[in-house]
Amino acid sequence: DTAVSQTPKYLVTQMGNDKSIKCEQNLGHDTMYWYKQDSKKFLKIMFSYNNKELIINETVPNRFSPKSPDKAHLNLHINSLELGDSAVYFCASSIRGEVGQPQHFGDGTRLSIL
Amino acid sequence: SQKIEQNSEALNIQEGKTATLTCNYTNYSPAYLQWYRQDPGRGPVFLLLIRENEKEKRKERLKVTFDTTLKQSLFHITASQPADSATYLCALGNTGGFKTIFGAGTRLFVKA
């Protein structure tokens, strides 16, 4: 059973296009996240949602719009894709509550902008 | 600004030896520190959590220390095996719990 699943795994598209990445978790977690891992391998948080409510928006361009239709899903829509958006995007989830709850990650979506 | 530093150079060790990875941080007072393992093409996998009031944690062959005075954590893998070869990420968080900051990771190669 996949705990955190992302689709698609690979996404190759042209500059200027709009694309979406989907994420689902079957762990019953309250909190979900989107991270961007660039070529230097830093994992940077983009958004955090708790019970479908946006908690963290780390100064991400408003071309990126997360949507959480329910606690188990957090999708990421990106408008007007730019070359600098090329990266691996990871979705994660965790239990809300005790400090330091581990995050469970999906296997990433590799986005390449041509 | 907050900064986490992990050795960017890969660590090469012989099977059976102890691997020690370092995580240093500045401009931050974390409530907790975590270590994750990441294999190529996969997402990070949680390994260990240590809180600010704890000095050391162990789990099987893994040991982590946390020195809030030095602002440093050490991650040890004893009796290392080739299967331990991966990138290991250090992560820090505060009491709010929603924002975790990750280091860039250290690549570990264990040779048979």
Side-chain angles (χ1 to χ4, degrees):
Chain A
D1 277 349
T2 304
V4 181
S5 59
Q6 299 179 225
T7 53
K9 190 172 174 69
Y10 299 95
L11 189 50
V12 181
T13 189
Q14 302 274 357
M15 205 163 52
N17 283 350
D18 303 338
K19 290 293 179 186
S20 292
I21 307 172
K22 295 186 176 182
C23 178
E24 176 182 5
Q25 54 96 1
N26 62 5
L27 298 167
H29 289 167
D30 301 310
T31 307
M32 296 185 73
Y33 313 80
W34 276 110
Y35 286 87
K36 179 180 180 180
Q37 189 171 43
D38 59 24
S39 57
K40 294 182 180 177
K41 303 301 182 186
F42 277 103
L43 256 179
K44 292 183 182 175
I45 189 160
M46 300 172 68
F47 301 103
S48 172
Y49 268 72
N50 186 58
N51 280 325
K52 304 192 299 174
E53 185 181 338
L54 179 65
I55 302 296
I56 290 176
N57 179 341
E58 276 294 296
T59 60
V60 177
N62 57 15
R63 298 182 296 105
F64 290 79
S65 51
K67 285 196 171 43
S68 182
D70 55 57
K71 272 178 30 174
H73 296 83
L74 181 62
N75 304 322
L76 184 65
H77 188 75
I78 316 169
N79 289 327
S80 304
L81 281 157
E82 301 177 358
L83 289 175
D85 297 333
S86 294
V88 182
Y89 292 84
F90 286 98
C91 176
S93 71
S94 69
I95 300 171
R96 176 74 182 112
E98 194 174 336
V99 169
Q101 287 293 335
Q103 295 182 37
H104 298 255
F105 285 81
D107 280 336
T109 296
R110 283 141 191 85
L111 175 61
S112 298
I113 311 300
L114 304 176
Chain B
S1 61
Q2 300 159 349
K3 197 173 178 183
I4 301 178
E5 288 183 347
Q6 295 186 252
N7 195 339
S8 58
E9 292 182 12
L11 180 62
N12 290 282
I13 64 167
Q14 201 64 35
E15 182 177 11
K17 301 291 185 186
T18 295
T20 298
L21 286 68
T22 304
C23 174
N24 295 298
Y25 60 92
T26 54
N27 298 323
Y28 201 59
S29 295
Y32 63 89
L33 188 146
Q34 299 171 328
W35 283 89
Y36 289 78
R37 169 184 172 142
Q38 186 173 21
D39 290 287
R42 305 299 299 272
V45 175
F46 172 78
L47 295 175
L48 277 170
L49 161 72
I50 187 164
R51 295 189 174 85
E52 60 180 333
N53 59 348
E54 298 172 321
K55 297 288 186 189
E56 182 179 299
K57 271 281 186 68
R58 291 174 185 262
K59 180 183 175 183
E60 297 169 355
R61 294 185 295 112
L62 308 180
K63 184 179 90 170
V64 62
T65 63
F66 193 10
D67 189 327
T68 55
T69 301
L70 289 178
K71 294 186 181 294
Q72 181 182 79
S73 174
L74 298 178
F75 178 76
H76 306 272
I77 305 174
T78 57
S80 59
Q81 304 165 359
D84 295 326
S85 298
T87 297
Y88 291 86
L89 308 175
C90 164
L92 307 176
N94 55 24
T95 52
F98 290 115
K99 182 176 176 181
T100 302
I101 301 170
F102 284 81
T106 298
R107 190 90 168 89
L108 172 67
F109 292 98
V110 181
K111 289 195 283 189

